[in-house]
Amino acid sequence: MGFLKRHQTKIIIAILLLISVTALSFGIWAMWFRAPKVLDPDYAAKEAEENAEQIEESSGEKLEAPEGGGAMSLIYNKKVDIDLSEGKADFLIGNPAESTVYLVAEIVIQDQVIAQSGAIKPGYRVTELELAAGAKDILQAGGYDGKIVLYMYNSENDERAILNSEIIVDVTISE
Amino acid sequence: MKKSGLKTNRIIKKKNYLPLFMSLCLIGTLHPAQVQAENKTIKNINLDTAVLCQETGWEKDSHKITFGSYQETSLNYRVLHSDEDGLLLDCDTVLEIKKFDDNSNAWGDSSLKTWLGTAELCDTAEKSAVTSDRITILTDREAADYYKNTDARKKTGSSNEWWLRTTDSTLPDLYTGVVSDGVIDQYYVDTEYVGVSPALRLNPEKILFVSEKNMDKAVSLRKPAESTAKEWKLTLLTDSISAAVTEGKKVTAAEENGNTEITVSYTCSGDASQISVMLTDQEYSQTNASLLYYGKLAQVTESNKTGTAEFTLPNGYKKSGWGTEYQVYLIAEKVNGSGTDYASAPVKLSLSDEEDNKEESSVTITWQDMQFSYSKGTWDFKEHVWKGGGWTANEGCGSVTIKNTGETAVNAGFTFAPEEGEDVPEVSAVFTEDGKEFKNNSLQISASQKKTVTLGLTGKAPADYIAEKMKIGTVCITLSAEE
């Protein structure tokens, strides 16, 4: 019996050791190797996008938005250039002053969010964004089909609109 | 010796005075024919195999192609002629001494034909490029027409004499062949010292390149060099290898230090050993297409069949001419030293249209509130079910208007993403314009045009559903370039 008990104890120790090694491996993977993920903004961005520039030619006259709805004037192009060495994405999203909403833009490649803006207020545009943390590790030079996802928020009460928009873009990544 | 002394059916090559006339023209004047001759310069790698054919007939120092093997020795074939029936090749040596047959001069039933049908003279992939999958022997007509002289017809190997297929046999026990001095003559069919020298026609559509036998294909993109080589090999197209631009990626160009750097992400399948790129002056499959540049982009291994490669557009080649003034192709190749190489069908590359993409687009999107109400309908007392219920948009709700304020047309696609959750009723969306559904939920909106789309919801809520205000989904508008 003594022998059997010792044997059982060894098995339990081995199983516990295996579980510990697995947990440790998972922890290392999660900390260092897991693809970075930028969460979608469920709530309005608090900070205005620091790279935003004022659009000089905006008239400032607001579009007529139906009650309970919204109105957005949007300027964009279909090209995103990413320079991995600088860690920046060049693109264009403009939200002229006529809009009743402000925007948060995400650049998405193959379901990975690689850059996210702060709030782009009416009357402002963004042409450059810093890449999200870790994005450089998963990107390589080349051309990609990508999209810019736009989330809209009511300028008066920060409520997120029931509607969002995507712009299909060509993404070119260089090192 | 049964060798025939009968010369009754000897075929005499007709004299062709055209070469003499052409030569006189070349020597005497700058006749336009001179320009034409210079255009047929042979490069170390060519799309057109016909460049190896000599109009005046094959002679001793004319071109040979390595193709297939016999008893583990590579075979060289003389390049005799090219026409709509294919590229005619005649083996450079006599492989085996064989009787034509024991007693008949009928080719179809001859023992020689049977032997050719069973002899392993090339691999399966090579054989697929042979017209009718058939390796045969030269006919007496072909031997007469496509050799320049009797000296050129001489062969060595197992014998100096070799069988031809008789096209016009009058005596049942005789068959044609080439005697040791290159003259076409007749033999008794059971002659035991005449050998077999195979001939075949290759389908030009199965041939991508003919290149110098010892050409190094592991070179960066470069212009094919002029060649004086006489020994060549083929690159055959095969379905067992494929190449493609990696899905979701585009071919892009970037200007660096005055050069145009092209980046392409590739994927290949099969047992390819390298990814290559070629530039041609027109579609590569066109009869007169010329290879402008060729080079290796990347090494491919069994475990690494995808990657990203770069090459520089040659001087004088502009992005604007891509696809019009010249074509660019991606190829996966299996390079086999001096033996036959294999290649995937070339994939024509298109350059991502950056200039169009840099144009600014602009739209305005206005949307109503998106509130809907659900009605269970009326209770049917007979069938004990709710009837006529469903979703209706509240007054002043449910529509989206898009106005294209830019200068180019845009496509607007509409999707509905239902909210997830146990309490959320299952619904699906229907988008309509003027009460009608539209194809693929996508509308093209021209410059200055405005379109209004209305959202409708379908689906039944559970019988115990109690209406309460909740979010049941999100509408997404996808803007893309005009298709």
Side-chain angles (χ1 to χ4, degrees):
Chain A
M1 290 298 284
F3 170 76
L4 284 175
K5 196 168 182 180
R6 278 200 303 277
H7 194 62
Q8 274 182 335
T9 306
K10 280 182 181 176
I11 291 172
I12 290 167
I13 289 170
I15 291 170
L16 289 174
L17 201 61
L18 188 66
I19 292 169
S20 302
V21 169
T22 307
L24 190 64
S25 304
F26 180 78
I28 291 170
W29 171 81
M31 281 185 69
W32 300 102
F33 299 107
R34 186 169 56 177
K37 167 74 177 165
V38 178
L39 298 177
D40 293 342
D42 289 327
Y43 302 95
K46 302 296 181 191
E47 300 290 332
E49 170 55 42
E50 60 182 21
N51 292 308
E53 309 160 350
Q54 197 155 12
I55 304 173
E56 293 174 0
E57 59 268 32
S58 281
S59 71
E61 194 175 318
K62 293 289 181 190
L63 291 164
E64 192 174 334
E67 189 180 344
M72 173 180 68
S73 178
L74 176 67
I75 300 170
Y76 62 94
N77 69 27
K78 292 157 274 183
K79 171 96 180 132
V80 175
D81 287 316
I82 293 175
D83 187 329
L84 289 179
S85 61
E86 292 187 8
K88 288 180 178 173
D90 287 336
F91 71 121
L92 171 64
I93 289 294
N95 186 21
E98 295 85 348
S99 296
T100 66
V101 293
Y102 65 87
L103 310 173
V104 170
E106 287 180 351
I107 301 172
V108 179
I109 300 175
Q110 294 171 8
D111 296 329
Q112 295 276 346
V113 179
I114 55 154
Q116 186 189 82
S117 75
I120 307 170
K121 305 280 187 186
Y124 286 82
R125 69 177 185 180
V126 176
T127 57
E128 185 179 280
L129 275 184
E130 308 283 335
L131 295 183
K136 281 201 281 187
D137 300 331
I138 59 168
L139 296 173
Q140 56 174 324
Y144 296 79
D145 292 325
K147 61 186 177 183
I148 299 172
V149 180
L150 298 173
Y151 298 97
M152 304 161 201
Y153 297 84
N154 188 310
S155 292
E156 292 178 0
N157 58 17
D158 289 342
E159 186 183 359
R160 183 166 155 184
I162 198 81
L163 186 114
N164 60 34
S165 184
E166 294 178 355
I167 301 164
I168 303 299
V169 291
D170 289 337
V171 183
T172 304
I173 299 178
S174 56
E175 291 176 338
Chain B
M1 295 280 282
K2 282 186 176 179
K3 181 177 169 182
S4 171
L6 303 172
K7 305 286 186 182
T8 49
N9 283 344
R10 173 178 289 200
I11 296 169
I12 298 169
K13 191 174 187 296
K14 291 176 184 174
K15 287 188 177 173
N16 186 349
Y17 292 103
L18 185 62
L20 178 62
F21 173 73
M22 293 290 283
S23 302
L24 288 172
C25 288
L26 286 171
I27 294 165
T29 64
L30 284 174
H31 191 275
Q34 184 179 13
V35 178
Q36 194 172 355
E38 284 175 356
N39 283 343
K40 289 195 78 174
T41 313
I42 302 173
K43 307 289 186 180
N44 59 346
I45 180 166
N46 308 270
L47 287 171
D48 183 11
T49 52
V51 294
L52 301 186
C53 300
Q54 205 160 307
E55 287 182 15
T56 53
W58 197 89
E59 54 188 315
K60 278 293 176 191
D61 60 349
S62 296
H63 300 286
K64 297 175 188 174
I65 286 176
T66 299
F67 186 83
S69 61
Y70 181 63
Q71 295 178 342
E72 298 182 356
T73 302
S74 295
L75 294 179
N76 287 325
Y77 284 83
R78 300 169 178 181
V79 186
L80 294 193
H81 183 66
S82 178
D83 57 25
E84 64 276 10
D85 294 329
L87 183 70
L88 179 61
L89 304 180
D90 185 30
C91 191
D92 194 41
T93 54
V94 179
L95 301 185
E96 294 276 2
I97 291 174
K98 293 281 174 192
K99 288 192 287 190
F100 178 80
D101 198 64
D102 287 328
N103 47 32
S104 165
N105 70 347
W107 166 250
D109 301 324
S110 66
S111 59
L112 189 62
K113 186 185 177 193
T114 304
W115 184 85
L116 280 166
T118 55
E120 291 183 4
L121 301 175
C122 56
D123 63 32
T124 310
E126 286 174 318
K127 199 165 187 179
S128 67
V130 178
T131 55
S132 309
D133 288 341
R134 204 165 50 226
I135 295 178
T136 178
I137 55 174
L138 218 57
T139 67
D140 45 19
R141 291 284 174 206
E142 290 165 341
D145 290 347
Y146 302 139
Y147 275 102
K148 187 172 186 178
N149 49 43
T150 53
D151 193 44
R153 275 194 290 267
K154 289 179 183 174
K155 290 187 182 180
T156 56
S158 299
S159 171
N160 294 329
E161 299 175 60
W162 43 289
W163 292 108
L164 296 171
R165 280 167 58 195
T166 307
T167 51
D168 185 18
S169 179
T170 51
L171 297 171
D173 56 348
L174 291 177
Y175 213 70
T176 36
V178 176
V179 298
S180 57
D181 63 0
V183 171
I184 297 172
D185 208 337
Q186 291 196 320
Y187 297 89
Y188 289 102
V189 292
D190 57 351
T191 304
E192 292 184 339
Y193 55 84
V194 182
V196 55
S197 184
L200 50 90
R201 279 185 186 270
L202 293 176
N203 181 354
E205 291 180 2
K206 295 286 183 86
I207 302 170
L208 181 60
F209 301 128
V210 58
S211 57
E212 282 182 7
K213 183 176 178 179
N214 297 313
M215 177 187 168
D216 181 8
K217 282 189 164 179
V219 293
S220 56
L221 189 67
R222 64 186 60 181
K223 190 184 280 190
E226 289 192 14
S227 174
T228 55
K230 299 298 177 189
E231 295 191 329
W232 301 83
K233 70 171 182 174
L234 299 171
T235 301
L236 299 179
L237 294 168
T238 176
D239 294 335
S240 64
I241 301 174
S242 70
V245 175
T246 305
E247 194 174 344
K249 297 196 174 183
K250 294 183 178 297
V251 182
T252 58
E255 300 296 334
E256 286 180 18
N257 304 323
N259 294 324
T260 306
E261 301 292 338
I262 306 299
T263 303
V264 54
S265 297
Y266 61 85
T267 302
C268 66
S269 67
D271 54 351
S273 59
Q274 72 175 52
I275 287 285
S276 310
V277 66
M278 70 171 175
L279 274 63
T280 59
D281 61 346
Q282 52 187 300
E283 300 274 345
Y284 82 95
S285 54
Q286 295 292 312
T287 310
N288 297 321
S290 289
L291 184 63
L292 303 172
Y293 279 81
Y294 168 86
K296 174 183 172 180
L297 281 187
Q299 188 77 23
V300 174
T301 61
E302 184 63 34
S303 58
N304 187 13
K305 293 186 172 180
T306 63
T308 301
E310 294 181 350
F311 64 93
T312 305
L313 268 189
N315 284 339
Y317 286 76
K318 303 205 178 295
K319 281 192 297 181
S320 57
W322 184 305
T324 53
E325 294 167 15
Y326 63 93
Q327 306 293 335
V328 184
Y329 292 92
L330 187 72
I331 313 160
E333 286 192 83
K334 182 185 180 186
V335 180
N336 290 316
S338 59
T340 302
D341 295 339
Y342 296 98
S344 67
V347 176
K348 188 156 79 170
L349 299 180
S350 299
L351 198 57
S352 179
D353 202 343
E354 294 174 18
E355 297 307 316
D356 282 353
N357 291 342
K358 282 183 176 170
E359 284 180 12
E360 284 186 10
S361 300
S362 60
V363 294
T364 59
I365 302 174
T366 56
W367 61 96
Q368 295 180 324
D369 201 349
M370 294 284 165
Q371 291 201 33
F372 286 73
S373 299
Y374 182 74
S375 163
K376 290 183 178 178
T378 52
W379 179 254
D380 187 318
F381 290 97
K382 289 181 181 175
E383 297 180 22
H384 293 272
V385 289
W386 293 98
K387 283 189 172 176
W391 296 93
T392 50
N394 292 357
E395 189 177 349
C397 294
S399 71
V400 179
T401 300
I402 301 178
K403 183 178 182 185
N404 182 354
T405 52
E407 295 177 353
T408 55
V410 296
N411 267 12
F414 297 81
T415 52
F416 176 79
E419 201 76 3
E420 292 179 356
E422 286 183 6
D423 299 332
V424 181
E426 287 183 12
V427 294
S428 52
V430 178
F431 294 98
T432 56
E433 185 196 16
D434 296 331
K436 295 177 183 172
E437 291 184 45
F438 43 93
K439 191 179 176 185
N440 299 329
N441 282 345
S442 179
L443 288 174
Q444 184 180 310
I445 307 172
S446 306
S448 304
Q449 196 179 24
K450 183 165 75 173
K451 293 201 173 180
T452 298
V453 170
T454 303
L455 169 67
L457 296 178
T458 61
K460 291 280 184 186
D464 58 351
Y465 173 68
I466 300 170
E468 59 177 291
K469 191 172 183 181
M470 67 167 66
K471 184 179 176 184
I472 58 171
T474 305
V475 173
C476 181
I477 299 169
T478 302
L479 302 171
S480 57
E482 182 187 8
E483 287 173 0

